[in-house]
Amino acid sequence: MQTLLLSGAELAAAADILRGGGVLAIPTETVYGLAADGFQPQAVEKIFEAKGRPQDNPLILHIPDPDWLGRCCAEIPDVAYTLAARFWPGPLTLILKRRADVPDVVTGGLGTVGVRCPDHPLARALILRADTPLAAPSANRSGRPSPTTAAHVLEDLGGRIDGVLDGGACSVGVESTILDLTVSPPCLLRPGGVSLEALRDCIGAITVDDAVYRPMEEGEHPRAPGMQYRHYAPVAPVTVVRGPPTRAAGYILAHAPPGAGVIAFDEWAGAFAGYTVRTLGPRADGAAQARGLFAALRAFDHTTVTEIWAMCPDERGVGLAVANRLRKAAGFHIIDAEESV
Ligand code: TXA
Ligand code: MG
């Protein structure tokens, strides 16, 4: 299959692909999504095929504004509209009761559905033109780091999908925060572009699902099915080193063999002479770290490094999401520099 690269001027062609039952990678503010018409089950099946995604892992529906919630969900609580008014368009996915006519292939057979309104002008214009909610997971091969440019999408899915709509580099860089509103109090299933602190400021108490911090054990099932899989992984294995940056940098210098890959904050990058270094941005700039994380992980695939060591941000604000993605990229192989030096 030939994969078309479409520009923003070709929205009509992009909408035709979707209405015709095709699969198209689209830009969002978080990461690129692999989209299909959420109400055409055969089109949605092509997403799973192209990604190599397990069938039990449900997809998020993308809508252009809160008025469309009724097209996807039933029994919508007021708190959904409160959150939508504050954070949409933006990187927040709400889990709500599904409408009966949402296809099972979208929800993985669950009674709920994830919905979000992306903050990217091309994505919203495209959904309006296609006039249907778009089912879209991140546009990577299953298990790989999420794509934040059209080139990343082509790296993973070129030849396997109908097209890529190029909307430039993603401005947030980590996926949406997922909040389950079908339980009380609401539960954070995946940290993302909207911080837990901001959500609590808006609606009060929120619990955090265990899968955010630790791997699931045999027989355990996280509430967001996707959180159980190894994820975000570059080809070389990753080790995450937590703790104060100077200690973490010291630990890496003491343990990583020369030539290894290192992911470091800008301020410490100069310490790693002889290593293949990718910087994440300044230590205090969580937004820059989020924007650069997946590109940094992918960049090592174009080098000869056989292992990657990463300094890890603290968990305030978007740092919770960056640290979560790094831990998952490392298969939860984490060292605490404070305890281990
Ligand atoms: O920012 C994002 O959310 C991106 C862009 C493209 O919108 N999408 C994305 O989708 O990250 P995906 O499929 O890579 O991750 C969605 C996660 C998965 O872990 C899935 O298991 C979970 O959301 N999920 C989807 N529907 C759910 C539901 N009804 N209940 C619980 N978890 C759900
Ligand atoms: Mg994904």
Side-chain angles (χ1 to χ4, degrees), residues 77-322:
D78 289 345
V79 66
Y81 290 102
T82 304
L83 287 162
R86 170 77 181 76
F87 296 107
W88 282 2
L92 176 65
T93 294
L94 302 176
I95 305 294
L96 292 161
K97 285 211 175 119
R98 69 191 279 192
R99 258 175 67 141
D101 56 349
V102 174
D104 278 338
V105 62
V106 171
T107 66
L110 299 174
T112 57
V113 64
V115 185
R116 90 172 186 102
C117 174
D119 187 15
H120 192 293
L122 285 183
R124 291 170 74 209
L126 179 64
I127 302 167
L128 286 168
R129 231 179 221 272
D131 193 24
T132 182
L134 297 182
S138 49
N140 49 278
R141 287 293 280 261
S142 204
R144 299 262 305 139
S146 299
T148 53
T149 65
H152 293 164
V153 175
L154 290 172
E155 217 169 73
D156 277 20
L157 297 174
R160 303 177 65 86
I161 59 177
D162 294 299
V164 183
L165 178 60
D166 191 348
C170 301
S171 59
V172 174
V174 291
E175 300 86 344
S176 61
T177 303
I178 302 181
L179 188 66
D180 186 351
L181 294 182
T182 68
V183 293
S184 181
C187 181
L188 184 93
L189 302 186
R190 179 180 72 181
V194 171
S195 73
L196 179 56
E197 295 92 328
L199 291 173
R200 284 181 171 150
D201 263 2
C202 181
I203 61 165
I206 292 172
T207 59
V208 178
D209 193 57
D210 267 2
V212 170
Y213 296 112
R214 62 175 181 85
M216 294 290 93
E217 280 157 29
E218 189 81 15
E220 258 188 315
H221 297 288
R223 306 231 305 263
M227 293 292 276
Q228 75 191 299
Y229 301 109
R230 181 163 183 265
H231 228 131
Y232 313 118
V235 174
V238 179
T239 303
V240 171
V241 184
R242 305 168 46 142
T246 303
R247 299 291 283 271
Y251 186 94
I252 294 172
L253 284 166
H255 293 84
V262 173
I263 296 179
F265 302 124
D266 290 4
E267 297 90 328
W268 281 269
F272 293 102
Y275 294 90
T276 303
V277 184
R278 301 290 305 190
T279 55
L280 268 191
R283 184 201 174 193
D285 189 346
Q289 292 157 27
R291 230 172 9 249
L293 176 67
F294 289 134
L297 288 170
R298 275 180 182 267
F300 288 110
D301 293 345
H302 303 287
T303 70
T304 55
V305 306
T306 54
E307 52 190 273
I308 300 166
W309 295 69
M311 297 174 76
C312 189
D314 71 49
E315 304 199 333
R316 283 168 299 175
V318 77
L320 184 64
V322 175

Side-chain angles (χ1 to χ4, degrees), residues 23 34 36 41-60 104-108 135 137 140-142 157 160:
V23 279
L34 184 58
Q42 282 171 350
V44 175
E45 268 160 28
K46 294 181 193 166
I47 294 176
F48 288 87
E49 212 170 292
K51 282 190 55 123
R53 180 177 175 107
Q55 291 281 348
D56 65 351
N57 194 1
L59 307 179
I60 296 170
D104 278 338
V105 62
V106 171
T107 66
N140 49 278
R141 287 293 280 261
S142 204
L157 297 174
R160 303 177 65 86

